[in-house]
Amino acid sequence: MNFELTKEQEMTRKMVRDFADGVIRPRAIEIDEKAEFPKDIFDEMGKLGLLGIPFPEEYGGSGGDTVTYALAVEEIGKVCGSTGLSYAAAVSLGASPLYYFGTEEQKKQFLVPLAKGEGLGSFGLTEPNAGSDAGGTKTRAELKNGHYVINGEKCWITNAEYARSIIVTAVSGKRADGKNIISAFIIPKDTPGMKITSPYEKMGVRGSNTSEIILEDVEVPEENLLGDPEKGFKQFLYTLDGGRISIAALAVGIAQASLDKALAYAKERKQFGQSISNFQAIQFKLADMAMEVELARNMVMKAAWLKDQGKPFAKEAAFAKLYASETSFRSSNEAIQIHGGYGYMREYEVERYLRDAKLLEIGEGTSEIQRLVIARQLGC
């Protein structure tokens, strides 16, 4: 395994870093305070090709790989958790399933515009009573006269209000053993019967759009069924495995930002006649933060590399998501502690890092679910 970045990967990271520092960073505080989705920023990201990094050029992408994409997520997350989350969800959840499981026609119709940055994708999995227990899906899809009629409700869905297309999971029948068959369906924006609202007042990642979707007799043609109708559950589990790499990368970005802010402040802040960075208590905090950030980043890179090599990566993705998200929360919490009273104030930003980091221990599989995934991978 070689973690030395290629020239193309280095170039992409620098390009994304420059964009993040120049365009996103100046608006990060405002995006959080106003809880407004920065559509214009995503339009620019689309023009730069960021929304198509891991997809082949034939489908409108940049022809990059998972490692390159993870680097991009980290750089964006480092300046704005909200923008980083919506970016990760658009690529990993909204577009990737189309690439993994779509027919050629579906890729041309739905993936190409997403990869080109002409719109965002969204993935409707979670329901009021089906979070960690995704198998408890209640949304139903019934085949009638060449169309699937879908009824149900989805909640906490990232990007749905701004999505060009939404992939939703729904029960489409029964298996021979009596268990539900869960399939995935592509629903274009503005399809009659699909109502999208964004009623949530969130603790963190406030500028990332989070929506509720109500589906009332929504009709989509039979050809909008995504992938194997009998394997919808396995398909979205694979999708989530890939998505965990991007959430882990986002967590590394927030953790790195926390370390950067804490280190700079510790060098500037004077107490008892000297910089607090001279105090061993502070040095130990910074040392632990630096170590954990680097370990988390290495785990993300390993999971991304395995995925790019076509090797099994589910366990490593769970390692990365679990460790990086918990590192992100610890690092941002320590950054507040090092800042003291100033850390509690919004203008110093580290309190935003903590609020944003908390979601990463919950979304795309809670920390508890990650431990369960790892245990099963160990054969427990």
Side-chain angles (χ1 to χ4, degrees):
M1 185 165 47
N2 183 5
F3 281 164
E4 184 177 354
L5 299 181
T6 65
K7 188 177 295 184
E8 290 78 13
Q9 289 166 342
E10 289 280 14
M11 286 174 58
T12 301
R13 180 166 68 174
K14 183 181 185 306
M15 182 263 287
V16 178
R17 181 177 293 169
D18 291 345
F19 176 79
D21 285 336
V23 177
I24 305 175
R25 187 185 296 276
R27 291 175 53 189
I29 292 176
E30 179 187 20
I31 287 170
D32 175 68
E33 287 180 346
K34 293 185 176 180
E36 290 179 354
F37 181 79
K39 185 179 181 303
D40 59 318
I41 288 178
F42 277 87
D43 290 341
E44 290 188 58
M45 289 166 62
K47 292 173 184 175
L48 285 173
L50 302 190
L51 291 164
I53 284 178
F55 306 118
E57 293 178 9
E58 63 182 299
Y59 298 124
S62 305
D65 54 17
T66 312
V67 169
T68 308
Y69 166 54
L71 293 170
V73 174
E74 179 184 337
E75 292 299 331
I76 294 170
K78 194 159 63 175
V79 300
C80 179
S82 294
T83 307
L85 179 66
S86 279
Y87 172 55
V91 178
S92 292
L93 302 183
S96 288
L98 296 166
Y99 177 60
Y100 298 150
F101 311 115
T103 64
E104 281 300 311
E105 281 305 310
Q106 288 172 340
K107 289 175 183 177
K108 289 174 184 175
Q109 183 179 354
F110 298 108
L111 175 59
V112 169
L114 299 184
K116 284 184 174 180
E118 296 170 359
L120 297 178
S122 184
F123 186 67
L125 172 63
T126 305
E127 299 183 3
N129 293 304
S132 295
D133 178 19
T137 297
K138 299 297 183 188
T139 299
R140 300 274 165 176
E142 187 177 356
L143 185 59
K144 294 181 179 179
N145 301 318
H147 284 74
Y148 279 100
V149 181
I150 306 172
N151 285 278
E153 180 181 352
K154 301 291 182 178
C155 61
W156 306 327
I157 308 304
T158 306
N159 296 338
E161 190 178 338
Y162 295 88
R164 183 186 178 106
S165 58
I166 301 173
I167 298 167
V168 302
T169 53
V171 176
S172 60
K174 291 280 188 182
R175 294 190 334 206
D177 60 6
K179 292 185 178 180
N180 287 334
I181 296 171
I182 299 179
S183 305
F185 302 89
I186 308 165
I187 306 179
K189 183 181 181 181
D190 298 329
T191 298
M194 181 167 66
K195 180 182 178 183
I196 301 172
T197 58
S198 303
Y200 306 113
E201 184 65 32
K202 297 180 297 184
M203 169 183 166
V205 289
R206 289 165 48 78
S208 175
N209 174 248
T210 308
S211 299
E212 177 183 75
I213 305 173
I214 305 296
L215 304 159
E216 294 182 349
D217 293 328
V218 173
E219 288 192 19
V220 296
E222 191 172 355
E223 54 265 28
N224 280 30
L225 173 70
L226 180 62
D228 187 331
E230 300 280 332
K231 297 179 181 178
F233 194 80
K234 287 185 177 180
Q235 288 174 183
F236 73 66
L237 289 180
Y238 181 83
T239 298
L240 290 176
D241 284 340
R244 284 165 185 158
I245 297 174
S246 64
I247 293 299
L250 173 58
V252 171
I254 295 174
Q256 183 67 59
S258 300
L259 173 59
D260 292 345
K261 285 274 189 182
L263 180 59
Y265 181 82
K267 290 179 177 178
E268 293 171 4
R269 177 66 166 167
K270 297 273 195 302
Q271 290 285 274
F272 306 103
Q274 57 183 311
S275 297
I276 64 171
S277 62
N278 290 333
F279 301 143
Q280 192 177 68
I282 301 299
Q283 292 173 349
F284 281 10
K285 288 181 184 295
L286 292 167
D288 285 345
M289 291 166 70
M291 175 183 66
E292 292 190 10
V293 170
E294 187 62 21
L295 291 172
R297 180 179 291 114
N298 285 342
M299 197 65 246
V300 172
M301 289 294 103
K302 180 178 181 180
W305 180 87
L306 287 170
K307 185 172 186 292
D308 287 335
Q309 300 303 310
K311 298 176 184 290
F313 66 94
K315 180 176 66 177
E316 288 77 11
F319 281 159
K321 199 271 187 186
L322 174 61
Y323 186 73
S325 62
E326 294 191 348
T327 290
S328 186
F329 189 80
R330 282 192 298 269
S331 294
S332 52
N333 194 37
E334 287 287 40
I336 293 172
Q337 193 69 20
I338 290 170
H339 278 72
Y342 292 108
Y344 208 66
M345 302 299 128
R346 284 198 167 189
E347 65 184 287
Y348 282 79
E349 297 193 271
V350 286
E351 61 83 33
R352 186 182 87 236
Y353 299 160
L354 182 75
R355 289 187 287 107
D356 289 350
K358 185 58 200 173
L359 178 70
L360 308 184
E361 296 182 317
I362 300 170
E364 286 206 45
T366 62
S367 291
E368 292 76 16
I369 288 294
Q370 301 311 313
R371 288 181 166 91
L372 185 61
V373 168
I374 293 165
R376 287 177 175 170
Q377 289 287 330
L378 295 175
C380 295

